[in-house]
Amino acid sequence: MATLKPTKMLALGLLILGLLSVTVPVSVVYCAALLPLERAFPLDRPVELEELIARDGVRHSRLLQRVAGGVVDFSVQGSSDPFIVGLYFTKVKLGTPPREFNVQIDTGSDILWVTCSSCSNCPQSSGLAIELSFFDTASSSTARLVPCSDAACSPAVQTTATQCSQSNQCTYSFQYGDGSGTSGYYVNDMVYFDTILGESLVANSSAVVVFGCSSYQSGDLTKTDKAVDGIFGFGQGDLSVISQLSSRRITPRVFSHCLKGDGSGGGILVLGEILEPGIVYSPLVPSQPHYNVNLLSIAVNEQILQIDPAVFATSTNQGTIIDSGTTLAYLVAEAYDPFVSAITGAVPPSVTPTISKGNQCYLVPNSVNEIFPSVSLNFAGDASMVLKPEEYLTHFGFYDGAALWCMGFQKAQGAGSMLTILGDIVLKDKIFVYDLAHQRIGWTNYDCSSSVNVSITTSKDEFINPGQLSLSTSSQDMLFKVLQMSFVAFLMHLIEFTEFQFL
C-alpha cells in the first residue's frame, strides 16, 4: 500500500488549497423569489362604482392614521360585496410540513400574518372560491414562538401595539379606524418560495421568517364572504418579509409586480427585480411609511394642466401614494376638477357626457381608445406614466346602445382629501419595481400574461444572468449535491494521481 511522506502530504495539501482558491471563488448571490398572483374575485360580477369608492375611502382613512404614526394598514374591506374584497392575492407555504395559505397583497402594511387554528371569532369558510387554511404551531416541527426578549419584539422595529403575555410570548394588536382589527402572537418558522438561479432554472427554496399568527379578528375581517387566510405586507418596515430576507442577503432589497388587468386577472409578484428596457424610475420621498412619490404635473393630450404643484407635495396627511390595496385612483380637488374638464373638452361630439350616481361618466358609441385623449402623469426624475383611456376610465355596461364609461379617477374626499392615491386601475398592465436599495420606484407598460426577466445580483449594484420565470424547475438541493459529489470525486481522483506521482 502506497504511503505519502510528510513533505509530499504538505505539497498535496498546498495543491488542493490552491485549487480551491482558484476554482471556488466566494461571492454573494441573491436569488429572486417568485410568487404567482391570482385575482380575488371574478370579473363577470357587476359592482357599483360607489361601493368601490366606499371601500377605498375606508382604506384611505387608515392610510392617514398610519402617516400620523398610529395604525398599521391592512387591506380590510368596507363592503360585503366579494368583488371589492381586494384585487390580488398570492399563495405562501409556511411551516414543516409546509401548508399553503392565500394572503392578500398589500404594499401599505409591513407584516405577514395568517389565521391561527385556535383563532376566536374568525371565519371558517370563504365566499371567494378558496378553502381557508389555519396555522397550527404545534403541527409544525420548525415553529418557534417569539419571546419578548427577541429583537423582533423590540419597540425599535415595531409598528404595532406589542406587549408581553404572561407566558413571555411577543403579542401584537392591530386596530383600525373602521372598527376592524386582529390580535395574535409572533412566530418564527419556515417560508417556502421559488428562487431564480439563472437562465431557465428555478429552484425550491426556504428561509426562516417572523410572521403573525392571528388568534382574534373583528369587524370586516370576520365576514365569511370576503375571508382570506391573512395579509402579506410589502411595506418598508423591519418586519416585512422583503426586509427580513434582504437583511440576511437571501433576496435583494427590491420587489416587483405585474398585475394583469383583463380576463381573470392574476399576474406575477417577484421578490427581486424584473428587468425590462423601458422601465423609468422616480425617487421615493424619504422617511415615509408608504410608497410616496413626487407627482409634479398632469398632461392631457400632451398639454400640461394648470394645477399648482404644491397640492401634490408630501407633508403630514398630504402627498402622492402608490398603493396596490386601492382599486381606483384619487386626485385632490385642486387637480381633479381641471383633469375632468380637460378630458370632457377633448372628446368629440359623438361622446355624451353624463352624470351617473354623482360620478362623471360618458356615453361612448365606439372604442374609448380611439376617441379619448391620452393622459400623462409626470413625476420627479423626468419619469412619466402615460395612461390609456382604459387606465383612467371604467366600463359600467350599456345604455341606449352606447357604452357607459365613468371616471376611474375620483375626487379625494373626507379623511383622504389631501392624498393623491394611485390604485390598481393605474397599476394594472404595467411592471412596477420597488427598488428599496436605491429608494426609487420604476414602471413600464407590459403584457402581464407574458413571462418576465428577473435579475440575479452579486452585489447591490451589479446584475448577472437574467433568468426568465416559469420556464423550468429544478431542486436547489439536488443541484448543490451534484456539484459537491462531482468536486469530491475530482479530489479523490487527484489524490490517487498524486500518490502515484510521489511514490
Side-chain angles (χ1 to χ4, degrees):
M1 180 176 179
T3 57
L4 289 176
K5 295 181 180 180
T7 54
K8 295 177 180 179
M9 294 178 63
L10 176 60
L12 177 58
L14 292 174
L15 176 62
I16 294 175
L17 288 175
L19 178 63
L20 286 172
S21 66
V22 172
T23 61
V24 191
V26 177
S27 62
V28 176
V29 178
Y30 294 109
C31 294
L34 165 67
L35 295 169
L37 291 181
E38 299 182 29
R39 202 162 210 144
F41 53 82
L43 288 180
D44 56 358
R45 295 192 54 160
V47 62
E48 296 293 337
L49 183 61
E50 58 265 27
E51 291 181 297
L52 291 174
I53 296 171
R55 181 263 185 182
D56 289 340
V58 171
R59 176 178 181 81
H60 300 164
S61 67
R62 298 196 309 272
L63 287 174
L64 283 176
Q65 292 181 31
R66 173 65 182 269
V67 171
V71 183
V72 169
D73 176 49
F74 282 166
S75 186
V76 180
Q77 275 50 237
S79 168
S80 61
D81 193 319
F83 188 86
I84 57 174
V85 165
L87 290 179
Y88 299 93
F89 66 92
T90 190
K91 299 178 186 294
V92 295
K93 292 182 178 180
L94 301 170
T96 304
R99 294 198 63 185
E100 194 169 70
F101 298 86
N102 293 296
V103 288
Q104 287 182 256
I105 301 301
D106 186 12
T107 59
S109 64
D110 296 332
I111 310 299
L112 165 63
W113 65 267
V114 293
T115 304
C116 289
S117 57
S118 59
C119 188
S120 172
N121 202 37
C122 297
Q124 300 297 307
S125 62
S126 173
L128 300 177
I130 59 174
E131 183 177 351
L132 295 183
S133 297
F134 303 91
F135 187 81
D136 183 7
T137 55
S139 298
S140 174
S141 62
T142 50
R144 182 179 70 85
L145 301 182
V146 176
C148 297
S149 58
D150 194 286
C153 200
S154 167
V157 301
Q158 287 296 319
T159 56
T160 64
T162 306
Q163 55 186 327
C164 279
S165 68
Q166 293 181 348
S167 56
N168 193 36
Q169 293 180 15
C170 184
T171 63
Y172 63 82
S173 178
F174 311 141
Q175 188 67 40
Y176 305 107
D178 64 355
S180 299
T182 178
S183 59
Y185 52 89
Y186 285 117
V187 178
N188 260 311
D189 208 345
M190 305 296 296
V191 61
Y192 303 85
F193 43 82
D194 290 332
T195 55
I196 313 304
L197 298 180
E199 185 67 30
S200 303
L201 183 62
V202 180
N204 295 324
S205 300
S206 61
V208 176
V209 297
V210 175
F211 59 91
C213 196
S214 174
S215 57
Y216 177 81
Q217 294 169 19
S218 62
D220 282 349
L221 287 175
T222 65
K223 302 290 181 62
T224 297
D225 54 356
K226 61 181 67 176
V228 290
D229 296 326
I231 302 290
F232 201 160
F234 278 84
Q236 303 182 64
D238 291 337
L239 281 189
S240 71
V241 170
I242 185 68
S243 294
Q244 291 187 61
L245 296 180
S246 62
S247 67
R248 303 204 300 270
R249 305 175 79 90
I250 296 173
T251 63
R253 195 161 176 253
V254 54
F255 70 95
S256 315
H257 61 63
C258 194
L259 306 178
K260 187 170 177 286
D262 59 358
S264 59
I268 296 173
L269 172 67
V270 180
L271 305 187
E273 181 176 14
I274 295 179
L275 300 177
E276 184 63 23
I279 293 179
V280 296
Y281 287 91
S282 184
L284 284 168
V285 180
S287 304
Q288 298 297 315
H290 301 288
Y291 293 112
N292 287 70
V293 287
N294 283 309
L295 177 61
L296 303 179
S297 65
I298 300 175
V300 174
N301 269 347
E302 300 183 354
Q303 298 296 313
I304 300 294
L305 303 182
Q306 295 300 309
I307 302 172
D308 185 356
V311 304
F312 300 128
T314 301
S315 62
T316 303
N317 297 345
Q318 180 179 317
T320 301
I321 296 172
I322 292 177
D323 178 33
S324 67
T326 291
T327 303
L328 303 174
Y330 294 80
L331 290 173
V332 294
E334 295 86 344
Y336 178 82
D337 294 332
F339 177 70
V340 172
S341 296
I343 298 295
T344 304
V347 297
S350 60
V351 174
T352 303
T354 183
I355 301 298
S356 176
K357 299 181 179 180
N359 299 291
Q360 180 62 58
C361 300
Y362 305 89
L363 291 171
V364 185
N366 45 11
S367 172
V368 293
N369 288 326
E370 297 176 359
I371 56 180
F372 273 77
S374 65
V375 169
S376 176
L377 307 179
N378 304 311
F379 298 87
D382 198 24
S384 293
M385 186 185 301
V386 179
L387 305 181
K388 297 176 293 186
E390 291 182 353
E391 295 169 337
Y392 62 82
L393 297 171
T394 56
H395 185 212
F396 283 91
F398 297 88
Y399 181 80
D400 285 346
L404 180 65
W405 288 82
C406 298
M407 291 298 300
F409 276 67
Q410 301 295 308
K411 182 186 294 187
Q413 296 177 345
S417 61
M418 299 302 293
L419 285 175
T420 292
I421 302 176
L422 305 180
D424 290 324
I425 190 173
V426 173
L427 307 187
K428 67 181 183 180
D429 299 320
K430 296 179 182 65
I431 291 172
F432 265 82
V433 178
Y434 300 73
D435 186 355
L436 306 183
H438 300 92
Q439 285 294 287
R440 60 180 186 170
I441 288 185
W443 58 82
T444 189
N445 292 335
Y446 201 77
D447 178 3
C448 295
S449 62
S450 303
S451 59
V452 295
N453 288 323
V454 180
S455 72
I456 299 174
T457 65
T458 54
S459 71
K460 188 170 66 175
D461 301 307
E462 181 183 358
F463 301 96
I464 61 170
N465 299 331
Q468 199 172 55
L469 296 186
S470 303
L471 293 184
S472 64
T473 59
S474 177
S475 168
Q476 186 181 30
D477 291 339
M478 181 62 70
L479 174 66
F480 289 143
K481 287 179 180 177
V482 169
L483 291 175
Q484 290 170 351
M485 291 173 64
S486 299
F487 186 66
V488 170
F490 174 76
L491 286 181
M492 294 298 295
H493 176 75
L494 178 64
I495 290 173
E496 291 178 0
F497 175 79
T498 306
E499 284 182 337
F500 176 78
Q501 292 294 317
F502 280 124
L503 284 177

